[in-house]
Amino acid sequence: MAELTAETLAGVRLFRHLPAEERKALAGRCQAHRYAAKQQIVCHAEESTDVYFIVSGQVRATIYSVGGREVAFRDLGSGEMFGDLSAIDGKPRSANIVALADSFIVSMTAEAFREVLQTHPALAMAALQELVDLVRGLCERVIEMSTLGVKNRIHAELLRLAQREMKDGKTAVISPAPTHADIASRVSTHREAVTRELNHLAHIGLLERRTGALCVTDVPTLARMVEEVRHQHIVGG
């Protein structure tokens, strides 16, 4: 098992602004885990309550419908956390969590997590901000599913992915590139519809395919396309 140090937690968004000595103390309350790509980390509806912090790697939150269809909620990467909902309310897990790539993750018991939040008000506020971001993101998705057409939902999902990777204010390289089936799962459509729309975006110059990656060449233009359609549906609806 890897030794946990103050530096281990420095890359975790919730802890990065703590003094090194406080991160070191918290590291002593964590356990280290390494997961291979495609390995299950948390199962939907299980009774565990530990909180997990991604030091490196990437994971995906999903559930399966009664008919066995996978529905993807979101991907999480280095610095982010998951499992905090069950740690706070003690209820079963709300989703499956699967590693998308080889990942180094540390966990903390629910009891330790709640104690940390109670004794560090700044961390409690940061955790609340994480929850607010989650709720806002899910609300946005509900509105999209209820009001937007398939191609517009694809644009919105591509924009979300691009905004996480934008470096220069205009272009974004999404790497590794999501599969067409992944995008279809997130926006409730089929793979063929995603393929058609990505081909269209490539044809008009908004998307470039690179080895193992997708490049959105003009994120602001894509954002305007999404916002115009959202506005039409919200105001016109």
Side-chain angles (χ1 to χ4, degrees), residues 143-157:
I143 292 170
E144 289 172 4
M145 293 294 185
S146 302
T147 62
L148 301 188
V150 169
K151 76 172 185 177
N152 304 122
R153 297 202 303 271
I154 294 170
H155 295 171
E157 183 60 31

Side-chain angles (χ1 to χ4, degrees), residues 33 59 75 93 95 120 124 137 139-140 149-150 162 201 204 206 218 229:
H33 312 272
V59 306
D75 293 350
R93 300 296 190 182
H120 294 77
C139 287
E140 188 175 82
V150 169
L201 293 176
I204 64 175
L206 272 181
D218 193 338
V229 175

Side-chain angles (χ1 to χ4, degrees), residues 19-204:
E21 61 271 18
E22 293 190 39
R23 291 201 310 271
K24 182 178 180 181
L26 288 177
R29 307 186 71 174
C30 295
Q31 289 188 318
H33 312 272
R34 292 193 181 275
Y35 296 95
K38 300 183 180 180
Q39 186 174 353
Q40 186 103 15
I41 303 171
V42 168
C43 294
H44 174 238
E46 74 178 25
E47 299 287 342
S48 64
T49 57
D50 284 0
V51 183
Y52 296 83
F53 306 96
I54 306 170
V55 178
S56 64
Q58 189 176 34
V59 306
R60 173 169 294 163
T62 68
I63 62 171
Y64 287 89
S65 69
V66 174
R69 180 168 176 244
E70 184 182 43
V71 179
F73 283 110
R74 57 178 181 154
D75 293 350
L76 299 167
S78 300
E80 298 185 277
M81 70 176 174
F82 60 91
D84 45 315
L85 299 185
S86 292
I88 291 170
D89 66 13
K91 293 182 180 180
R93 300 296 190 182
S94 59
N96 301 294
I97 302 291
V98 178
L100 292 180
D102 292 349
S103 301
F104 177 36
I105 296 173
V106 300
S107 65
M108 178 184 290
T109 66
E111 293 77 16
F113 181 67
R114 291 195 296 267
E115 182 182 324
V116 167
L117 296 186
Q118 289 167 358
T119 56
H120 294 77
L123 294 190
M125 285 301 300
L128 284 174
Q129 184 62 57
E130 296 275 346
L131 292 176
V132 168
D133 291 345
L134 173 61
V135 171
R136 288 186 183 277
L138 291 177
C139 287
E140 188 175 82
R141 285 177 177 271
V142 168
I143 292 170
E144 289 172 4
M145 293 294 185
S146 302
T147 62
L148 301 188
V150 169
K151 76 172 185 177
N152 304 122
R153 297 202 303 271
I154 294 170
H155 295 171
E157 183 60 31
L158 189 63
L159 177 62
R160 265 190 291 272
L161 294 172
Q163 287 174 331
R164 292 169 62 103
E165 304 296 339
M166 191 162 56
K167 303 299 183 185
D168 60 5
K170 184 175 182 180
T171 61
V173 178
I174 305 168
S175 178
T179 68
H180 294 188
D182 286 341
I183 296 175
S185 172
R186 297 182 196 184
V187 302
S188 190
T189 188
H190 50 82
R191 181 175 55 81
E192 291 77 11
V194 174
T195 300
R196 283 196 301 271
E197 191 53 35
L198 294 191
N199 285 341
H200 171 69
L201 293 176
H203 178 72
I204 64 175

